[in-house]
Amino acid sequence: MIVHTLIYRFPDDVAEEQRAEFFDAMRQLVLKTGLIKGFDHKPHLWLPADDRARGMTAASIAQFTCDDLDSLQKFSELPEVYDFVTDWKRRLRFEAAYANHEALTPSSDLPS
């Protein structure tokens, strides 16, 4: 399984309702393609230290899963995916970073 993790930051004037509409539309798009197996998103849980953080601090995280890299590539090359990203980026002016990776399995084991 391949996981596509997206990290979003939105301008301060983007209302929570607009963000919810964006993620609802994203869920509908990714799942209707048949190439994506699961989708979820959550808000970043803000800490006081985040006010002083360097670099991009997220507002929201989204993840979706697919069977393999080939499926993810097919998905990413769909015209409707390009149109979705282009349209919503114009409307919400968000910044995004992403990573494609295998599912993580956090462990408390320290390396020897």
Side-chain angles (χ1 to χ4, degrees), residues 33-104:
T33 67
L35 295 166
I36 304 304
K37 302 301 180 189
F39 173 87
D40 199 8
H41 73 92
K42 300 282 187 225
H44 169 69
L45 302 175
W46 204 262
L47 296 172
D50 294 339
D51 292 330
R52 298 179 308 279
R54 295 180 184 190
M56 187 172 117
T57 301
S60 299
I61 308 297
Q63 282 191 330
F64 55 82
T65 58
C66 53
D67 288 336
D68 50 40
L69 276 175
D70 190 48
S71 297
L72 182 57
Q73 182 175 346
K74 288 177 186 174
F75 170 81
S76 68
E77 293 173 350
L78 292 172
E80 57 265 38
V81 171
Y82 175 82
D83 292 344
F84 177 89
V85 172
T86 301
D87 178 53
W88 280 99
K89 190 161 179 75
R90 179 188 51 79
R91 292 164 58 184
L92 300 184
R93 305 170 327 278
F94 59 78
E95 294 178 81
Y98 67 90
N100 304 320
H101 55 92
E102 294 177 339
L104 301 173

